[in-house]
Amino acid sequence: MVTEPPSQAQVLVASNRGPVSYTLRDDGALEAKRGGGGLVSGLSAIGQDADAVWVCAALGDGDREAVRRTGGRLDTGDTGGQRVRMLGIAPEVYADAYNGVANSALWFVHHLLYQNPLEPSFGPEFRARWASYETYNRAFAEALADEAADGAAVLVQDYHLALVPGMLRALRPDLRIGHFSHTPWAPVDYFRLLPDDIARQLLRGILGADRAAFLTHRWANAFTACCTELLGGTGNTAIGVHGLGADGDFLRERAHRPDVDERIVTLRGQIGRTSAGEERKTIVRVDRTELSKNIVRGLLAYRLLLTDRPEWRERVVHVAFAYPSRQDLAVYREYTAEVQRVADGINAEFGTEGWVPVVLHVQDDFARSLGAYRLADVALVNPIRDGMNLVAKEIPLVSERGCVLVLSREAGAYEELGEDALVVNPYDISATATALHEALTMPAAERAERAKRLAAAATALPPKQWFLDQLTALRA
């Protein structure tokens, strides 16, 4: 493993999760696993350049052991040739910052998830966790300052690191600093649920950047409105919009590998055929069990479809993948259990010997997800609120059936895909059930034309170009 500090970097990326994670095996060896997702794909656009480095946090015991053995500068073989600086932040500080603030407060604010009669309540315990959030952000700022060459470009990612730009600006005023928000941004009145001093600190933290960027104009405008209301404006910080798209070439190739073909055989067996031997229609959703994804209301809309339009009974199957997320938080465990309860209730109410109305999977399996994409007649993407939602872009891209997209107007993807989707209010299960019926009965020619336009919009800004566009704008 690398032990001597390499030369300072001209391009730096900072995010909570990095491109590699480690597991400590029983024999004491560390096993590396490469990460995925849009950010990892995007960073690959700069190649395996010695002038680039990724700064991230150690997330578990394996990561922390890797940091202990290497000082945090990781083996380039493990990291796919990318230079990575992993930070061994104390576990209790990390837990407070990540779960206590980022995921239990900032995420809830930006996704409008609080049950206001009871929450939030920001008292001394939250203030203690906030101090950890500051410590966590400061660790990133100091590492970036240490790793960056004179005048380097630094791209800081997401709500976990909202204070980093301001902290880094104080340490290294020579740097070009950008911050990108992958979540929505709360409207002013909701953002002001946060304590006033903390709300202003968050805004000033991001405004320490030369450029603050968002996935849609709606989120950018909300941020600007918060700055205007609480600080009097955005100062010298430029505001940008970059709508992350799907990696079409990768998805199309990956969706036709043998393991996906195997999953399709299994899925077809679970979906089955009607008593007349006809293929059943499929409504597909693929989500984490995030509170914001609105899985339960999606299931309730499907139940209403079966109730109000009995002609669909035994002719349609809802393939719902709800992969557990943040199960260390009780509210997420409870939500995951509710998803299972509602799905079981639908199957008990409507199921027959030859038809299971809801095929629910909770074990993460990317190949199976891609198999479902290929089989989708309808994609249901109905989040309460979502920064973008790449699934809305991926399913129409991969579907072999001219997939119709039923899309929440509260998803960031609505800004790009709304014209060719059937758009719904995510709280209105009656309207969502109607949209599902409309999607299932849409004429083939219209389905195909809509799907073609959706696929084109979905791939307009693939991850590599998304990253390079931000880098170019930052350096301008």
XYZ file of all heavy atoms in Angstrom, residues 180-233:
427
model
N -21.695 20.834 -4.744
C -22.834 20.303 -5.495
C -23.800 19.630 -4.538
O -23.414 18.788 -3.729
C -22.382 19.295 -6.552
C -23.476 18.977 -7.540
C -23.597 19.705 -8.704
C -24.400 17.976 -7.277
C -24.631 19.442 -9.597
C -25.432 17.701 -8.151
C -25.551 18.441 -9.329
N -25.087 19.990 -4.644
C -26.142 19.401 -3.822
C -26.885 18.341 -4.628
O -27.507 18.659 -5.649
C -27.122 20.480 -3.352
O -26.506 21.383 -2.465
N -26.844 17.107 -4.157
C -27.519 16.004 -4.851
C -28.961 15.832 -4.372
O -29.701 15.027 -4.951
C -26.746 14.701 -4.633
C -25.407 14.694 -5.282
N -25.166 14.098 -6.504
C -24.212 15.212 -4.887
C -23.885 14.255 -6.832
N -23.292 14.915 -5.862
N -29.347 16.555 -3.337
C -30.713 16.492 -2.810
C -31.508 17.693 -3.314
O -30.948 18.618 -3.897
C -30.697 16.537 -1.275
O -30.180 17.806 -0.854
C -29.857 15.410 -0.696
N -32.808 17.705 -3.037
C -33.550 18.952 -3.224
C -33.026 19.997 -2.241
O -32.252 19.682 -1.328
C -34.991 18.563 -2.869
C -35.032 17.088 -2.806
C -33.653 16.624 -2.495
N -33.456 21.240 -2.421
C -33.211 22.255 -1.400
C -34.569 22.725 -0.879
O -35.495 22.962 -1.646
C -32.419 23.437 -1.954
C -31.912 24.282 -0.818
C -32.570 25.322 -0.219
C -30.698 24.103 -0.093
N -31.829 25.811 0.832
C -30.667 25.083 0.936
C -29.618 23.227 -0.205
C -29.616 25.199 1.832
C -28.565 23.330 0.692
C -28.567 24.307 1.694
N -34.666 22.838 0.427
C -35.943 23.173 1.055
C -36.372 24.594 0.719
O -35.537 25.499 0.621
C -35.834 23.018 2.565
N -37.688 24.836 0.589
C -38.176 26.214 0.464
C -37.912 26.973 1.765
O -37.704 26.374 2.828
C -39.671 26.038 0.199
C -40.001 24.687 0.720
C -38.774 23.849 0.545
N -37.931 28.282 1.685
C -37.509 29.119 2.813
C -38.235 28.762 4.104
O -37.612 28.561 5.151
C -37.728 30.612 2.486
C -37.457 31.468 3.718
C -36.836 31.049 1.339
N -39.552 28.701 4.072
C -40.309 28.483 5.302
C -39.948 27.160 5.974
O -39.922 27.068 7.207
C -41.813 28.535 5.028
C -42.304 29.945 4.727
O -41.534 30.897 4.979
O -43.436 30.085 4.235
N -39.679 26.142 5.167
C -39.324 24.841 5.747
C -37.867 24.835 6.212
O -37.547 24.271 7.261
C -39.581 23.725 4.739
C -39.943 22.411 5.393
C -41.275 22.099 5.665
C -38.968 21.490 5.749
C -41.619 20.896 6.272
C -39.301 20.292 6.355
C -40.627 19.995 6.616
O -40.963 18.805 7.229
N -36.990 25.459 5.455
C -35.583 25.540 5.853
C -35.449 26.224 7.211
O -34.569 25.893 8.015
C -34.782 26.294 4.790
C -33.302 26.300 5.018
C -32.544 25.146 4.860
C -32.649 27.463 5.401
C -31.173 25.148 5.069
C -31.280 27.473 5.608
C -30.536 26.318 5.442
N -36.358 27.146 7.484
C -36.294 27.893 8.733
C -36.803 27.101 9.937
O -36.829 27.618 11.060
C -37.043 29.218 8.602
C -36.432 30.135 7.543
C -36.779 31.579 7.731
N -36.030 32.156 8.853
C -35.935 33.465 9.082
N -36.526 34.312 8.260
N -35.263 33.905 10.109
N -37.148 25.837 9.741
C -37.340 24.946 10.887
C -36.037 24.780 11.658
O -36.039 24.586 12.880
C -37.835 23.574 10.431
C -39.250 23.463 9.858
C -39.510 22.040 9.406
C -40.296 23.908 10.857
N -34.912 24.832 10.947
C -33.612 24.717 11.607
C -33.391 25.918 12.525
O -33.902 27.014 12.259
C -32.498 24.666 10.560
C -32.421 23.410 9.696
C -31.497 23.645 8.509
C -31.947 22.214 10.525
N -32.626 25.738 13.613
C -32.267 26.905 14.426
C -31.641 27.992 13.553
O -30.871 27.693 12.634
C -31.247 26.324 15.419
C -31.595 24.874 15.516
C -32.055 24.487 14.141
N -31.963 29.245 13.835
C -31.555 30.341 12.960
C -30.049 30.383 12.736
O -29.578 30.586 11.611
C -32.021 31.683 13.535
C -33.533 31.852 13.463
O -34.197 31.025 12.805
O -34.041 32.808 14.063
N -29.272 30.202 13.815
C -27.817 30.296 13.662
C -27.272 29.160 12.819
O -26.360 29.350 12.005
C -27.127 30.337 15.031
C -27.414 29.100 15.869
O -28.577 28.627 15.876
O -26.480 28.588 16.515
N -27.857 27.972 12.964
C -27.396 26.822 12.181
C -27.824 26.957 10.724
O -27.049 26.639 9.803
C -27.905 25.521 12.819
C -27.099 25.243 14.101
C -27.811 24.346 11.846
C -27.588 24.058 14.903
N -29.020 27.450 10.474
C -29.463 27.677 9.097
C -28.508 28.634 8.393
O -28.094 28.403 7.243
C -30.886 28.227 9.080
N -28.141 29.710 9.070
C -27.219 30.687 8.460
C -25.827 30.083 8.289
O -25.151 30.349 7.287
C -27.164 31.952 9.325
C -28.451 32.765 9.294
C -28.298 34.098 10.012
N -29.501 34.904 9.876
C -30.495 34.922 10.756
N -30.421 34.184 11.866
N -31.560 35.676 10.548
N -25.398 29.278 9.251
C -24.080 28.654 9.153
C -24.008 27.717 7.947
O -22.995 27.671 7.235
C -23.776 27.891 10.442
C -22.329 27.385 10.548
C -22.067 26.672 11.859
O -22.908 26.678 12.766
N -20.910 26.042 11.963
N -25.079 26.974 7.702
C -25.119 26.086 6.543
C -25.016 26.876 5.240
O -24.256 26.513 4.333
C -26.404 25.264 6.551
C -26.463 24.108 7.545
C -27.896 23.636 7.722
C -25.567 22.958 7.069
N -25.792 27.947 5.146
C -25.766 28.761 3.932
C -24.393 29.396 3.732
O -23.846 29.371 2.614
C -26.843 29.839 3.994
C -28.293 29.349 4.024
C -29.233 30.517 4.232
C -28.647 28.590 2.751
N -23.832 29.957 4.802
C -22.508 30.575 4.675
C -21.451 29.538 4.327
O -20.496 29.841 3.614
C -22.135 31.281 5.978
C -22.952 32.539 6.265
C -22.346 33.343 7.399
N -23.180 34.495 7.750
C -23.960 34.564 8.817
N -24.016 33.540 9.676
N -24.681 35.644 9.045
N -21.626 28.321 4.833
C -20.678 27.263 4.489
C -20.640 27.013 2.998
O -19.570 26.993 2.383
N -21.818 26.849 2.385
C -21.869 26.604 0.933
C -21.407 27.837 0.164
O -20.721 27.730 -0.866
C -23.285 26.167 0.525
C -23.589 24.781 1.103
C -23.433 26.147 -1.000
C -24.994 24.287 0.836
N -21.743 29.015 0.667
C -21.343 30.246 -0.022
C -19.847 30.525 0.090
O -19.347 31.465 -0.533
C -22.138 31.440 0.513
C -23.642 31.429 0.198
C -24.314 32.661 0.786
C -23.887 31.349 -1.303
N -19.141 29.707 0.848
C -17.681 29.767 0.807
C -17.128 29.277 -0.526
O -15.961 29.513 -0.850
N -17.971 28.625 -1.312
C -17.570 28.135 -2.632
C -17.633 29.256 -3.666
O -18.408 30.203 -3.538
C -18.484 26.990 -3.069
N -16.823 29.120 -4.696
C -16.935 30.020 -5.848
C -18.222 29.749 -6.607
O -18.777 30.652 -7.249
C -15.743 29.815 -6.791
C -14.431 30.187 -6.145
O -14.146 31.387 -6.028
O -13.687 29.269 -5.734
N -18.685 28.497 -6.512
C -19.833 28.087 -7.314
C -20.619 27.024 -6.540
O -20.049 26.042 -6.074
C -19.339 27.528 -8.644
C -20.393 27.369 -9.712
C -19.736 27.087 -11.069
N -20.741 27.062 -12.110
C -21.424 25.969 -12.453
N -21.183 24.832 -11.830
N -22.332 26.013 -13.410
N -21.920 27.230 -6.405
C -22.815 26.251 -5.789
C -23.743 25.724 -6.875
O -24.405 26.510 -7.556
C -23.621 26.888 -4.660
N -23.793 24.413 -7.033
C -24.550 23.832 -8.144
C -25.590 22.839 -7.637
O -25.445 22.230 -6.567
C -23.607 23.161 -9.134
N -26.642 22.674 -8.459
C -27.803 21.869 -8.081
C -28.267 21.054 -9.285
O -27.873 21.316 -10.427
C -28.930 22.783 -7.586
C -28.536 23.594 -6.385
C -27.863 24.806 -6.548
C -28.805 23.144 -5.114
C -27.471 25.556 -5.444
C -28.416 23.886 -4.005
C -27.745 25.085 -4.167
N -29.136 20.071 -9.002
C -29.610 19.188 -10.064
C -30.689 19.817 -10.936
O -30.852 19.436 -12.092
C -30.151 17.892 -9.448
C -29.082 16.930 -8.921
C -29.697 15.909 -7.983
C -28.353 16.239 -10.062
N -31.440 20.783 -10.390
C -32.502 21.419 -11.161
C -32.561 22.907 -10.830
O -32.057 23.356 -9.786
C -33.889 20.813 -10.846
O -34.313 21.247 -9.552
C -33.871 19.296 -10.902
N -33.213 23.654 -11.687
C -33.413 25.079 -11.440
C -34.289 25.295 -10.198
O -34.104 26.273 -9.469
C -34.060 25.741 -12.655
C -33.144 25.827 -13.839
N -33.074 24.819 -14.778
C -32.233 26.777 -14.211
C -32.179 25.152 -15.695
N -31.654 26.320 -15.380
N -35.215 24.394 -9.965
C -36.089 24.534 -8.802
C -35.291 24.518 -7.505
O -35.490 25.341 -6.617
C -37.134 23.415 -8.798
C -38.118 23.509 -7.658
C -39.087 22.337 -7.696
N -40.041 22.427 -6.595
C -40.920 21.467 -6.312
N -40.977 20.377 -7.068
N -41.742 21.600 -5.296
N -34.370 23.587 -7.383
C -33.566 23.508 -6.155
C -32.598 24.692 -6.066
O -32.363 25.218 -4.970
C -32.807 22.190 -6.094
C -33.589 20.949 -6.394
C -33.147 19.848 -7.079
C -34.946 20.638 -6.023
N -34.125 18.892 -7.165
C -35.236 19.354 -6.533
C -35.930 21.336 -5.330
C -36.487 18.744 -6.349
C -37.178 20.729 -5.152
C -37.446 19.456 -5.652
N -32.045 25.093 -7.189
C -31.148 26.256 -7.187
C -31.892 27.511 -6.753
O -31.376 28.326 -5.968
C -30.534 26.452 -8.573
N -33.111 27.676 -7.249
C -33.897 28.856 -6.886
C -34.279 28.843 -5.406
O -34.325 29.900 -4.755
C -35.155 28.943 -7.752
C -34.843 29.237 -9.207
O -33.765 29.737 -9.535
N -35.763 28.920 -10.096
N -34.554 27.662 -4.869
C -34.890 27.562 -3.448
C -33.698 27.950 -2.581
O -33.850 28.642 -1.566
C -35.353 26.144 -3.112
N -32.511 27.498 -2.979
C -31.296 27.873 -2.240
C -31.088 29.386 -2.284
O -30.810 30.026 -1.260
C -30.088 27.157 -2.838
C -28.767 27.593 -2.248
C -28.364 27.160 -1.000
C -27.929 28.442 -2.961
C -27.155 27.562 -0.448
C -26.715 28.857 -2.419
C -26.324 28.413 -1.165
N -31.228 29.957 -3.463
C -31.061 31.405 -3.609
C -32.061 32.162 -2.746
O -31.720 33.172 -2.107
C -31.223 31.798 -5.088
O -30.216 31.128 -5.864
C -31.065 33.291 -5.275
N -33.300 31.672 -2.691
C -34.323 32.321 -1.874
C -33.961 32.261 -0.396
O -34.167 33.240 0.343
C -35.680 31.669 -2.119
N -33.419 31.123 0.056
C -32.993 31.003 1.457
C -31.866 31.981 1.761
O -31.859 32.644 2.816
C -32.551 29.574 1.751
S -33.900 28.373 1.865
N -30.922 32.090 0.850
C -29.808 33.022 1.048
C -30.304 34.464 1.098
O -29.845 35.272 1.919
C -28.779 32.858 -0.062
S -27.868 31.292 -0.017
N -31.225 34.789 0.227
C -31.773 36.148 0.191
C -32.502 36.470 1.489
O -32.341 37.553 2.071
C -32.714 36.302 -1.013
O -31.976 36.046 -2.217
C -33.299 37.700 -1.073
N -33.315 35.529 1.962
C -34.113 35.743 3.168
C -33.256 35.816 4.426
O -33.465 36.676 5.289
C -35.141 34.617 3.305
C -36.010 34.681 4.545
C -37.086 35.742 4.460
O -37.363 36.239 3.345
O -37.662 36.074 5.518
N -32.270 34.930 4.546
C -31.512 34.823 5.793
C -30.209 35.616 5.797
O -29.733 36.014 6.863
C -31.202 33.359 6.104
C -32.315 32.564 6.807
C -33.461 32.264 5.854
C -31.767 31.262 7.391
N -29.634 35.822 4.605
C -28.322 36.480 4.544
C -28.309 37.738 3.691
O -27.290 38.432 3.642
C -27.274 35.505 3.993
C -27.057 34.187 4.754
C -26.023 33.334 4.028
C -26.623 34.450 6.187
N -29.373 38.008 2.983
C -29.403 39.172 2.119
C -28.888 38.935 0.714
O -28.794 39.874 -0.082
N -28.563 37.680 0.366
C -28.106 37.365 -0.980
C -27.067 36.264 -0.989
O -26.709 35.697 0.058
